[in-house]
């Protein structure tokens, strides 16, 4: 006899797959209106891409359904022998000073993440692929290209806001770039391509204390939500979540991925551990965790730069982005493998304003994203006293 829980799980995932198909077919009404305005890679041409590849649509959606059914979002075990540790040390680029007022800049400095990027010699690609740097556009024979100067590591910062229970909360965003996503799979790697990177988004409460942190690849893949450990404990204490977690089950939607809480504290830098090659965040932690997981850390300094610098300069004045706001020359094989899904250049890094997550189910910039998809308590204020892991 098939367990009831398994039947329920399959039914829920089937409903999500159906919702994926329906939302993929949805396009803005009025062709003339779409032609008159700026091209929007999130919506424009989606139905057309599916129709011209119609015979392949069932196979692509079958693969997406298998991914939804088997995806493991639990924390991963890991150990880094060597790693570059990128730490902000007060270096501000001129454009960053111009773009933000002193109070906002102070918050960006206070909560700048510490990145622990794995280094390994057991690779078949250039070690520079695992180095963080500054992004620049240049002209080549094939058109505009983007390079990453790994001698000049930078966080590209911008602010956003989210609305929770009718209140607005400030979000600090840190984007960084690496030269490429190298081939890490033996036979065929659909994620292989030039230019790679991640965005870290930290949401502050009214007291300017972090209560949520999100990480996402700059193409919109692998979005994860990490609530502060004190927030997770409060949710469990209130008992208002069926799963006793910040994660909420949303009907006909893919649930947001919430693998583990993070030790988010007032005036403390969160630590993110990133794997070599894939550049995926495998753990979030505290500064005391670095010595536990990394045997030979290599210290690096990372500066703060305004995100707007990515939008300026280059051969066409668009910075590292093309007119469709995708990073120039950064397509992946999965772009064409997932074409029948309707997604526009899946896997290609892009501007944060046109980034979508979880198979284009959600807009990363949606101010209601967290409120709709998470079990959040009415009280988001931090506890009076926070205990640092490993200290009293």
């Amino acid at each position: 006899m098939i367990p009831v829980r398994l039947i329920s799980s399959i039914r829920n995932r089937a409903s999500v797959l159906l919702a994926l198909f329906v939302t993929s077919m949805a396009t803005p009404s009025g062709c003339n209106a779409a032609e008159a305005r700026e091209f929007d890679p999130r919506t424009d041409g989606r139905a057309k891409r599916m129709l011209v590849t119609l015979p392949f649509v069932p196979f692509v959606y079958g693969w997406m359904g298998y991914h939804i059914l088997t995806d493991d979002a639990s924390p991963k075990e890991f150990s880094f022998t060597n790693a570059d540790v990128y730490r902000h040390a007060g270096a501000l680029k001129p454009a960053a000073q111009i773009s933000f007022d002193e109070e906002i800049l102070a918050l960006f400095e206070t909560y700048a993440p510490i990145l622990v990027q794995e280094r390994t010699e057991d690779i078949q690609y250039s070690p520079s692929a695992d180095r963080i740097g500054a992004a620049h556009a240049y002209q080549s024979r094939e058109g505009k290209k983007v390079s990453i100067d790994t001698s000049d590591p930078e966080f590209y910062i911008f602010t956003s806001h989210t609305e929770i229970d009718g209140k607005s909360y400030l979000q600090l965003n840190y984007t960084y770039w690496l030269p490429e996503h190298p081939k890490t799979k033996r036979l065929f790697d659909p994620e292989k391509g030039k230019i790679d990177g991640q965005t870290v988004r930290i949401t502050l409460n009214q007291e300017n204390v972090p209560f949520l942190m999100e990480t996402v690849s700059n193409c919109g893949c692998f979005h994860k939500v990490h609530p502060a450990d004190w927030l997770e404990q409060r949710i469990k204490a209130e008992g208002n979540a069926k799963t006793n977690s910040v994660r909420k089950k949303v009907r006909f939607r893919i649930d947001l991925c919430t693998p583990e809480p993070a030790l988010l504290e007032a005036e403390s830098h969160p630590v993110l551990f990133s794997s070599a090659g894939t550049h995926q965040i495998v753990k979030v932690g505290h500064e005391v965790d670095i010595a536990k997981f990394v045997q030979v850390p290599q210290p690096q300094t990372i500066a703060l730069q305004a995100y707007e610098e990515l939008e300026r300069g280059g051969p066409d004045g668009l910075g590292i982005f093309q007119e469709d706001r995708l990073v120039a020359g950064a397509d992946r094989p999965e772009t064409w493998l997932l074409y029948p899904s309707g997604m526009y250049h899946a896997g290609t890094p892009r501007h944060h304003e046109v980034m979508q997550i979880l198979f284009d189910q959600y807009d990363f910039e949606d101010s209601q994203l967290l409120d709709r998809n998470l079990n959040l308590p009415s009280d988001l204020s931090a506890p009076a006293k926070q205990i640092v892991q490993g200290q009293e």
Side-chain angles (χ1 to χ4, degrees), residues 108-170:
F108 271 114
E109 291 186 278
T110 298
Y111 295 115
I114 298 173
L115 300 178
V116 182
Q117 175 59 55
E118 181 185 17
R119 298 175 59 181
T120 176
E121 302 302 325
D122 185 24
I123 55 176
Q124 302 297 320
Y125 57 85
S126 171
S128 65
D130 294 325
R131 305 290 189 273
I132 296 167
H136 303 285
Y138 66 95
Q139 186 67 41
S140 71
R141 291 183 179 179
E142 296 81 21
K144 184 167 75 169
K145 299 289 185 181
V146 176
S147 65
I148 305 298
D149 180 4
T150 57
S151 67
D152 185 23
E154 292 184 349
F155 274 133
Y156 293 90
I157 57 175
F158 62 96
T159 60
S160 57
H161 289 81
T162 188
E163 295 181 10
I164 299 173
D165 198 21
K167 298 179 181 179
S168 179
Y169 295 89
L170 175 67

Side-chain angles (χ1 to χ4, degrees), residues 176-197:
Y176 61 93
W177 301 96
L178 305 96
E180 66 173 317
H181 186 303
K183 182 180 177 181
T184 59
K185 297 178 175 63
R186 179 174 297 180
L187 297 177
F188 174 68
D189 191 346
E191 298 176 1
K192 174 183 180 294
K194 297 294 183 182
I195 314 302
D196 202 12

